[in-house]
Amino acid sequence: QLVESGGGLVQAGGSLRLSCAASGRTFSSYDMGWVRQAPGKEREFVGTITWTASTYLTDSVKGRFTISRDNAKNTAYLQMNSLKPEDTAVYYCAGRRSSTYYFYSDRSDYDYWGQGTHVTVSS
């Protein structure tokens, strides 16, 4: 089970840190992804942190977002800085067994999927 937190309303240029708390004993062996869905748009890959802590980010957030994980706390994080109105979306965290592809955006590609947390960036 995955539970996201940390969303909210922030002004453009501000920051938020999303957390994704996982239950179970296998968190450290899973790749953790972040996916977002803006109103009226399809889901979009945001980033992945692998079980070895390698990170991959979509181009639109590089330099602004970072992904990290704390295996001792079974938690993954998405630090979002310099937020823009176009970052407004529901953000989902998701987990899957490690693979060699890291850019999944579809729920069916993950073993676990969180309930989502809303992020609204005002201009």
Side-chain angles (χ1 to χ4, degrees), residues 11-14 36 60 64-65 81-88 91 119-122:
Q11 289 188 331
R36 67 185 180 185
S60 63
R64 301 188 297 122
F65 291 11
N81 299 327
S82 301
L83 282 161
K84 304 176 180 180
E86 51 263 43
D87 294 317
T88 294
Y91 284 72
V119 172
T120 302
V121 184
S122 62

Side-chain angles (χ1 to χ4, degrees), residues 47-96:
T48 293
I49 182 165
T50 70
W51 71 280
T52 59
S54 296
T55 59
Y56 302 85
L57 292 166
T58 193
D59 287 346
S60 63
V61 307
K62 285 180 180 176
R64 301 188 297 122
F65 291 11
T66 57
I67 300 177
S68 61
R69 66 190 299 160
D70 185 338
N71 290 337
K73 296 182 178 180
N74 276 12
T75 302
Y77 302 97
L78 179 66
Q79 178 67 46
M80 305 186 295
N81 299 327
S82 301
L83 282 161
K84 304 176 180 180
E86 51 263 43
D87 294 317
T88 294
V90 177
Y91 284 72
Y92 300 91
C93 73
R96 59 170 286 122

Side-chain angles (χ1 to χ4, degrees), residues 31-35 45 47-48 94-96 102-113:
D31 294 345
M32 299 301 297
W34 289 93
V35 176
F45 167 82
T48 293
R96 59 170 286 122
Y102 309 112
F103 307 98
Y104 294 107
S105 61
D106 196 75
R107 183 170 183 168
S108 64
D109 292 315
Y110 289 92
D111 300 306
Y112 300 97
W113 188 267

Side-chain angles (χ1 to χ4, degrees), residues 11-22:
Q11 289 188 331
S15 299
L16 284 174
R17 188 177 78 157
L18 306 184
S19 299
C20 174

